[in-house]
Amino acid sequence: MTSQESMPTARAERRQAKRLRRFDNPWMNPKLFWGAGLLLGIIALGLIGRFLWNLDLVFTGSTPLKLPPLGFENLRKQPGVLDYPLGTDGGGRDMLALIIIGAPNTLFVGLLASLIGMSIGITLGFTAGFVGGRTDDVIRVLADVMITIPPLLILVVFQSAYGDVSLTIMALLIAGFVWQSPTRLIRAQVLSMKQSGYVQMAQLSGASTFHIMFREMLPNLVPYLFGSFIASVTTSIVTAVGLEVLGLGPQRIPTLGRTIYEAINAGALIQNLWWWWGIPTLLLATMFIGLLLINLGLDEVSNPRLRKLS
Amino acid sequence: MTDKPVLTLRDLSIEFPTPQGVVQAVKSLNLTIHKGRRVGFIGESGSGKTTTALAVMKMLAEPGRVAGGTIDLSGTDVLALDEEKMRMTRLSRIAYIPQGAMNSLNPVMRVEPQLWDGVIAHEGHLDRGELKRRSDAALTSVGLPIHSGRLYPHELSGGMKQRVCIALGIILNPELIIADEPTSALDVVTQRQVMQTLKAIQAQIGSGLILIGHDMGLMAQSVDELAVLKDGELVEHGTVSQIISAPKHPYTQDLISSVPLVGGDSFLNAERNAPAPQRDSPEPLLRFDAVSKNYGAVTALHPMSFTLQGDTPQIISVVGQSGSGKSTMGSIMLGFNPPSSGRVLFEGQDVQHMTAAQSLEFRKNVQAVFQDPYSCFNPFYRVSHALRYPYKRFGLAQSDAQTNQAMAEACAAVGLDPDLVLPRYPHQLSGGQRQRLIVARALMLSPKLLIADEPVSMVDASLRASILSNIYDLKDKYGISILYITHDLATAYHVSDYVMVLFKGHVVEAGPPRQVIGDPQHPYTRLLIDSIPWPDMDRSWGDGRQDWDPAVEEAQAAKVGAMYRGDVSGFELARS
């Protein structure tokens, strides 16, 4: 074979080898990359924006009212200006400053709520599955009852009674409604794992309960935990945004949901101020797509059968 | 028998692209199956027998594909059919009887509608009376009572479910039946009954039959022709009698000789060496004191008492069908399962009432080898974890180097290369390798008692003998008493010093294996032995008798009291 002929085949082989490496190393997953990229982009927007942009523009009346984004005109034929590239809202606030502060806040509520929810879920799930008996009955019934209660109903009642709350309190309240499904999931996995050969082997090896729970079982649960975590982040954000759009939740801290609430309240839909509600919505959509991609990616990581040779 | 071929495979090749390159699962296979003939596909796991069958059904799992050759189903080119035509062909012309009947039936549907589904899918909606007539006929033809059609799958026994699957397969009178290890999950008695049903129905509708399996004995008793597959290649093909009496290929010879026979040549190392290490306790090693176990209203084990001295290492076999209480006995001994009454004493100490320190000592001295080598390793860790952890836990390790050396020695003792095996993950090892590692793990801890619960029932036939002889050789070398729980009388005959036959939680016959298995007296033991499929054409098993019904034989056996056929020193079974 001459060198000219071997060149293209070598390249094809390299490409093939790259594909196979990706197959062999499950974490090299494009969906996972894209999902993580989208979320990190939103976090980066919040972090970098804080240094590069004037955040005082989030205060009411700090800018002209209802200016469109750069390159557009509003109904009063005013063009967008470079000082406020994403436009301004009806209260005289800069949209870019609003999302720089608001988007990370929304993400923060979701992450915190599901971190707390997952911790409760792991503890209760393991306890129920491992201890069994009466403890299991109590935890299972509690989780089953809680899962039937619509969280929005309780939260609406609670928040309208207490008025203004901080982001952390809101996350805590939401956490009270996202621990049930991880509890059930982990309990089921622990129950089936308890019967598995390797747990029996560990018992034969004189392993303590602690060792069996955290050294033998937990590592095998990691894919489920990740998946469950991402799912509960999504649920938490949806709940938080839902409350905010209803005008509940933190009153003085900008969040994406609150911005949408104010836009609806001020009749932004009728006045064609699309950037006011459109930009936060777009960011929320990006967040959910990112989370969905991460969830799909993790699914493929933990279940090799979904991986394809392509 | 006519000469019209039902299925012709010509140069059939099947490949699976994988990250490591393309795997040739089947390599240019040529085979013809004639009408009314039963053909056995035999070979180890991974030899391509199921893959071939699935290719005929066009049901190959992704990313497998037919790379070349033709599949001709009495004149139809199967590979050229589109999905819709293939759907119509399945069941009506080729029926597939799956391996795990337990999982193949819909648990929330009664049996009857599941049978109707197939008919409706091929013939459109028929009126209910006609459907009922068809399903009744199918159930009757497999020897099931008509009322069983109104039952849910969980209300049927394993053998009955498998027969429902057969009924499902034959309801449209297919030209070809493919039965993929239809009896591998059943015990010998039920296996015999199911195979008899399958043979009878196949003869009645005159279709071709492909029987996939790895048990030479079962093949000898069930098929006319045998195709021996190895690594995707057809290495030998001929009539059963021809292959069994004069196997040409060395692999076929291996397959035949690896089936242990009662009374045949032993597969064990004859020379016994090295006196066993002395025990330091005057108490008997293990004592069952009127132990029984009930699960609700069901008695799994009736009160049983025995004493195992354990001064000289012995192998005590417990044999019986599934549901005979033998595995319950094993888990009671391990302390996993508390007895309903009575006590289990290990060196004079009640297994259920131990302090933490005693419990650790008990765990060190009583080890087990379980049935399923696939689940015994934590998939998260390298396999060396399973060996290293207990060694350290029981305080046997002096240093890391010494632990590694002990692991290497244990691996070598069971015939594994430690450098090759230990640093791997469980899924990278074969079932046989894993089971040997579990044996190595038990030996490394040098227990006084080893409970081996069906240690070889899930590994390939050719490996069974070598794993058992591993265990047997190490018994004398390390002075380990072994309790061997099995349904396989032939291996029990060879390895054990004493055999107990369990039937519905009772000991029905007990004594040295030469008496109990070599010359069975109790009708139940005889039923078990008669049901073993022998790889011997003259020793008939399914003699075509339609009236052979294990339920009747078992009912008769239940009337006969226990038989004690002699004693061995060191083991004492209380007579009830």
Side-chain angles (χ1 to χ4, degrees):
Chain A
M1 205 182 275
T2 65
S3 61
Q4 283 101 326
E5 276 170 7
S6 68
M7 273 300 283
T9 46
R11 199 177 301 142
E13 273 167 15
R14 265 207 304 281
R15 209 178 302 135
Q16 174 79 3
K18 198 171 151 196
R19 278 218 312 263
L20 294 180
R21 258 205 312 282
R22 198 162 76 209
F23 186 82
D24 270 346
N25 183 356
W27 295 101
M28 305 272 284
N29 186 303
K31 284 184 187 133
L32 203 56
F33 273 158
W34 278 104
L38 287 179
L39 285 195
L40 287 177
I42 289 173
I43 293 171
L45 173 82
L47 287 180
I48 300 168
R50 264 157 228 261
F51 296 107
L52 298 184
W53 200 246
N54 177 12
L55 295 186
D56 288 342
L57 296 177
V58 294
F59 293 110
T60 314
S62 54
T63 65
L65 306 185
K66 301 177 183 173
L67 280 183
L70 201 60
F72 294 94
E73 275 186 358
N74 63 11
L75 291 179
R76 285 178 283 163
K77 304 286 178 208
Q78 288 169 312
V81 292
L82 193 61
D83 286 350
Y84 317 110
L86 293 184
T88 62
D89 72 359
R93 286 171 289 194
D94 176 42
M95 286 307 294
L96 182 58
L98 269 179
I99 63 166
I100 285 173
I101 296 190
N105 278 347
T106 302
L107 207 53
F108 166 78
V109 172
L111 286 174
L112 185 65
S114 51
L115 265 182
I116 299 169
M118 282 302 288
S119 315
I120 301 174
I122 291 176
T123 319
L124 290 183
F126 258 106
T127 316
F130 216 88
V131 177
R134 195 56 59 80
T135 322
D136 180 29
D137 292 344
V138 171
I139 293 174
R140 199 186 62 236
V141 169
L142 193 69
D144 285 354
V145 168
M146 286 294 284
I147 226 165
T148 61
I149 299 175
L152 215 55
L153 182 76
I154 303 285
L155 290 172
V156 164
V157 171
F158 192 90
Q159 300 219 341
S160 36
Y162 286 85
D164 197 5
V165 289
S166 73
L167 285 175
T168 318
I169 298 288
M170 178 138 124
L172 279 173
L173 285 173
I174 294 170
F177 292 91
V178 293
W179 59 270
Q180 301 93 332
S181 51
T183 303
R184 286 165 55 110
L185 178 95
I186 289 164
R187 175 180 167 273
Q189 287 297 325
V190 167
L191 279 181
S192 78
M193 245 186 235
K194 228 165 72 170
Q195 302 298 321
S196 74
Y198 58 87
V199 169
Q200 283 195 335
M201 275 291 158
Q203 278 176 320
L204 273 184
S205 307
S208 61
T209 309
F210 184 84
H211 176 96
I212 292 178
M213 272 163 103
F214 292 100
R215 299 295 300 281
E216 301 283 339
M217 284 179 168
L218 197 63
N220 289 297
L221 279 175
V222 167
Y224 295 97
L225 295 182
F226 266 125
S228 179
F229 178 72
I230 297 297
S232 71
V233 171
T234 315
T235 320
S236 306
I237 293 181
V238 168
T239 315
V241 170
L243 286 171
E244 287 157 6
V245 169
L246 290 174
L248 302 165
Q251 306 290 306
R252 287 184 200 83
I253 308 158
T255 57
L256 296 182
R258 178 123 202 114
T259 311
I260 297 175
Y261 163 72
E262 279 160 357
I264 296 170
N265 231 14
L269 290 167
I270 293 173
Q271 297 175 49
N272 204 15
L273 305 173
W274 52 267
W275 57 93
W276 194 357
W277 52 268
I279 290 169
T281 311
L282 195 71
L283 271 175
L284 280 173
T286 315
M287 239 179 244
F288 288 136
I289 291 170
L291 287 166
L292 176 74
L293 284 175
I294 291 184
N295 215 349
L296 292 178
L298 284 172
D299 232 12
E300 288 177 17
V301 170
S302 56
N303 187 354
R305 250 180 280 175
L306 293 176
R307 265 181 259 155
K308 291 201 186 72
L309 260 184
S310 55
Chain B
M1 242 162 265
T2 61
D3 259 333
K4 209 174 106 219
V6 176
L7 182 74
T8 314
L9 305 177
R10 223 169 277 115
D11 279 329
L12 183 69
S13 300
I14 298 165
E15 54 183 37
F16 282 83
T18 70
Q20 281 76 38
V22 173
V23 174
Q24 296 276 338
V26 177
K27 296 166 200 154
S28 46
L29 186 75
N30 282 300
L31 197 69
T32 307
I33 294 168
H34 291 280
K35 197 170 181 319
R37 295 284 277 181
R38 297 186 291 266
V39 179
F41 280 20
I42 191 166
E44 280 174 21
S45 39
S47 60
K49 46 195 198 314
T50 302
T51 308
T52 309
L54 288 175
V56 173
M57 303 280 294
K58 277 185 88 172
M59 278 167 66
L60 273 181
E62 287 281 329
R65 57 172 186 251
V66 175
T70 57
I71 302 172
D72 181 273
L73 179 72
S74 46
T76 317
D77 182 4
V78 170
L79 294 176
L81 293 179
D82 61 22
E83 189 46 44
E84 184 55 25
K85 289 210 182 89
M86 193 61 221
R87 191 176 72 79
M88 296 314 291
T89 307
R90 290 188 196 123
L91 195 65
S92 68
R93 299 184 63 193
I94 320 172
Y96 183 75
I97 297 167
Q99 187 166 11
M102 326 301 165
N103 311 322
S104 303
L105 296 173
N106 188 338
V108 297
M109 269 168 89
R110 291 178 201 274
V111 166
E112 245 170 20
Q114 305 197 36
L115 291 168
W116 299 341
D117 269 355
V119 181
I120 293 170
H122 285 89
E123 297 177 9
H125 279 276
L126 303 175
D127 69 79
R128 207 179 160 82
E130 170 66 8
L131 286 172
K132 176 89 181 132
R133 196 189 60 72
R134 298 277 286 270
S135 65
D136 286 352
L139 287 174
T140 318
S141 66
V142 296
L144 287 172
I146 287 169
H147 71 82
S148 57
R150 300 302 304 156
L151 299 177
Y152 286 99
H154 71 268
E155 295 172 298
L156 303 171
S157 71
M160 287 166 91
K161 277 188 239 182
Q162 192 63 64
R163 281 192 281 167
V164 169
C165 281
I166 296 176
L168 200 52
I170 53 91
I171 196 161
L172 294 176
N173 294 332
E175 293 153 52
L176 178 68
I177 303 172
I178 300 172
D180 189 355
E181 307 211 21
T183 58
S184 64
L186 306 173
D187 56 57
V188 280
V189 176
T190 324
Q191 163 170 294
R192 176 175 169 186
Q193 197 187 13
V194 168
M195 280 318 299
Q196 238 169 291
T197 311
L198 185 59
K199 276 171 75 173
I201 192 81
Q202 177 262 345
Q204 189 190 321
I205 63 178
S207 60
L209 173 73
I210 296 177
L211 181 69
I212 297 170
H214 58 256
D215 182 347
M216 197 47 118
L218 181 64
M219 289 294 171
Q221 298 294 343
S222 319
V223 298
D224 307 317
E225 285 171 42
L226 205 51
V228 184
L229 279 95
K230 185 178 195 302
D231 301 329
E233 269 176 284
L234 184 68
V235 296
E236 197 162 354
H237 178 219
T239 63
V240 158
S241 52
Q242 182 188 330
I243 284 184
I244 292 209
S245 54
K248 289 195 190 73
H249 196 274
Y251 178 71
T252 320
Q253 290 162 4
D254 272 358
L255 273 180
I256 294 172
S257 62
S258 69
V259 180
L261 298 176
V262 171
D265 289 335
S266 176
F267 54 86
L268 302 168
N269 229 339
E271 67 212 43
R272 296 204 166 198
N273 46 4
Q278 285 299 306
R279 288 196 324 123
D280 44 9
S281 168
E283 290 282 347
L285 186 65
L286 185 76
R287 201 152 81 84
F288 257 46
D289 190 1
V291 172
S292 72
K293 180 74 193 177
N294 305 319
Y295 294 105
V298 181
T299 308
L301 195 63
H302 289 276
M304 180 195 272
S305 302
F306 65 79
T307 311
L308 173 64
Q309 273 304 334
D311 289 336
T312 49
Q314 281 174 322
I315 298 184
I316 311 296
S317 292
V318 181
V319 297
Q321 274 174 275
S322 48
S324 61
K326 56 190 194 320
S327 290
T328 305
M329 211 174 133
S331 66
I332 289 175
M333 272 179 222
L334 287 168
F336 283 172
N337 201 347
S340 303
S341 70
R343 293 183 307 160
V344 183
L345 302 172
F346 179 77
E347 300 198 323
Q349 185 66 43
D350 190 337
V351 169
Q352 287 299 320
H353 300 96
M354 284 186 164
T355 62
Q358 280 172 332
S359 176
L360 196 63
E361 186 63 20
F362 169 70
R363 286 275 169 255
K364 180 180 172 302
N365 285 325
V366 181
Q367 281 298 323
V369 177
F370 294 123
Q371 180 173 12
D372 182 1
Y374 295 91
S375 73
C376 277
F377 290 93
N378 193 333
F380 185 77
Y381 295 107
R382 293 174 198 280
V383 290
S384 55
H385 170 84
L387 277 72
R388 187 183 288 117
Y389 176 73
Y391 199 67
K392 287 191 169 161
R393 175 81 189 151
F394 294 135
L396 296 165
Q398 284 135 27
S399 64
D400 281 350
Q402 188 253 348
T403 311
N404 288 338
Q405 195 185 343
M407 290 199 299
E409 276 169 16
C411 285
V414 294
L416 291 174
D417 181 352
D419 298 327
L420 209 66
V421 168
L422 286 176
R424 301 233 185 159
Y425 282 98
H427 69 264
Q428 295 170 311
L429 299 178
S430 71
Q433 283 173 316
R434 289 187 227 188
Q435 197 62 310
R436 281 170 194 229
L437 266 176
I438 290 292
V439 174
R441 171 190 170 282
L443 296 170
M444 209 175 133
L445 306 171
S446 52
K448 292 174 184 163
L449 179 65
L450 180 70
I451 291 161
D453 189 352
E454 306 258 15
V456 291
S457 68
M458 285 178 75
V459 295
D460 277 328
S462 59
L463 280 170
R464 286 182 191 173
S466 70
I467 291 177
L468 275 177
S469 55
N470 275 158
I471 296 179
Y472 185 81
D473 291 345
L474 297 158
K475 170 194 83 161
D476 287 329
K477 198 167 163 197
Y478 295 95
I480 305 171
S481 296
I482 296 169
L483 200 105
Y484 177 44
I485 298 171
T486 185
H487 65 262
D488 180 357
L489 288 100
T491 54
Y493 176 83
H494 287 291
V495 299
S496 47
D497 296 294
Y498 193 85
V499 178
M500 287 192 272
V501 181
L502 237 55
F503 174 49
K504 294 190 175 162
H506 289 285
V507 174
V508 292
E509 193 163 1
R514 302 253 174 275
Q515 274 84 47
V516 174
I517 301 174
D519 175 27
Q521 294 296 318
H522 195 280
Y524 179 70
T525 320
R526 251 181 284 165
L527 171 67
L528 278 182
I529 290 175
D530 284 346
S531 303
I532 302 175
W534 304 99
D536 180 351
M537 299 300 289
D538 306 327
R539 192 160 175 171
S540 178
W541 165 70
D543 48 4
R545 268 194 301 158
Q546 278 297 299
D547 56 343
W548 186 84
D549 185 1
V552 176
E553 312 242 339
E554 280 177 21
Q556 276 169 359
K559 292 188 197 123
V560 183
M563 294 182 172
Y564 301 95
R565 309 286 308 281
D567 293 307
V568 291
S569 67
F571 186 82
E572 217 174 287
L573 178 70
R575 306 183 172 202
S576 53

